[in-house]
Amino acid sequence: MIRWCRFSASFLLFSFLSLLVVFHGAYAILPLVASGLALLCVFFWIVNRDSRWRLDREDGAFLLALLVFAAVWLGDVWRTGVWPVGEGNQGLWLPLWPVLAALVMVAWRQVPPRPGFWWWGVAFGALLVGGIAAYEHWWLGRWRVGNGINAIPFGNLALLLGALSLAGLVCLPSARWWLRLAFVLAAVGGLLASVLSGTRGGWVVFPVLALILLLAFHATRPRWGGRGSMVGLVAVLVAVLLAMSLMPGVPVKGRLSQGVANLQEYAGGDAGSSLGVRLEMWRAGWQLITLRPGLGWGEGRLEAQRDAWVEEGRFHSGISRYDQLHSDLVDTFARRGVPGLLSLMALYGVPLWLFWRHWRRGGDEQARALALCGVLIVVGFVGFGLSQSMLRDVRGLSGYLGLIVGCWCLLKGRRSSVPGGG
C-alpha cells in the first residue's frame, strides 16, 4: 500500500507539472484524482494504527494557512449566496480548492513523492510550453500565444517553470549531464513561451526571480568553480533573453511600446486601452476598499457596485467585462475586507517563511534546491498577483496550490530521510 501511494503521488505530481499549461483539463482532473487517492491513503493510515503520522508544527502552520484562506472565502460565499465562477464559468468551486490541497498535503506528507519526478515534471512542462509557443507563433502566425487559454496565466506559469528549471541547474551541480541539459533546454523553453505570450507582468517579476537565483548560485559557487562561473551564468542569461526579445515578430517591443502609449492615453483622459482599463479597475478597487474595508463587498456585490458606478459615468465601461480587478491584493481586499487580506498574506507568507527557513538552514543539495523552488514559486505568484488576479484564475489557483504543496512535501520528505535533516 505504501509503495502504491508513493508511486501514485509521484506520477500525479509529474503529470501535473508537465500538463498544467498544456492539457486544458489538467488543472482540475489531476487535483481531483490526487484528492481521491489522498482520501484512500489517509483512510489507510487511520485504520493502520501502527502507522506514525509525520505532521509537525511547520505542517500545522502550512495547513492552517490553506484552511483559513478557504474558510474566509467560503464565509464570503455564505453571506452573499454567490459562488465565484471564474473565466468561462470554469471556477465554480474555487473556494474549496485549498481544502483539497490540504487533504493532498496530509497524504503526501505520510508518503511523499520522489524528487526525480518533480525535476523531470518541471523540465517537461517547460519544454512542452516552449514548443507550443514556438509552434503557435512561427507556424500559426499568432502574435501573442496562449495555447487556447488566457495569455497572461499561460505566460506567467511558463516563466515560473523556466525559473524552476534554472533552480535545478543552479542547485544540483552533481546531477547527471542529461538532466542538466534538460534543465538548460527547459529554461529556454519556459522563457521563450513567456516572451512570445507578451505577458508584461511576468517580465517585471523575472528580474526578482533572477536575483534570487543568483543569490542561490553564489551560495553554491564553490561547487561550480568560483566567481567566473557566476559571471558566465549572468552573461548567458542576459544573452538568451536579449536574443529572444529581439527576434523578428516577437511581441516584446510592440507590447512595451503599447504600454507606454496606453499610459500616455490614460493621462490624457482615455481609459479605453488595455492598460487604461486595468488602471481603472485598480482605481475602482481602492474606492471600494475605502468604503468597506472591514468585511468588504462580497462575491457578486462587488461587481454590482462597480457596474453601478460605471453607469454613473465614474469609471470606463470596459471594467465591467471582467469578473475580477486584475490584482489579487486589490480584488481580495475589496471583496473580503481585512479578513480576506490577512488570509491572502498568510497564504503567501507562511509558505514563503517556511521555504526560506529551510533554504537558509542548508543541508544536502536536493533539499536546498527544493527549498529554493518553494521561494521562487511564492515570490513569483506574489509578483504575478500584483497585476493579475491569478488566484481567481483556475490554472493560477490550481498551479499555486499544487506547486507549493508538492514542493513542501518533497522538501519535508527529504529532510526526514537525511540523517540530521530534522
Side-chain angles (χ1 to χ4, degrees), residues 161-172:
L161 289 172
L164 295 177
S165 301
L166 285 174
L169 182 65
V170 165
C171 290
L172 298 176

Side-chain angles (χ1 to χ4, degrees), residues 266-292:
Y266 188 75
D270 182 4
S273 63
S274 171
L275 187 55
V277 169
R278 184 169 303 186
L279 292 172
E280 281 288 274
M281 283 191 280
W282 295 348
R283 188 165 71 91
W286 284 115
Q287 289 198 22
L288 290 165
I289 291 169
T290 302
L291 290 176
R292 291 187 182 178

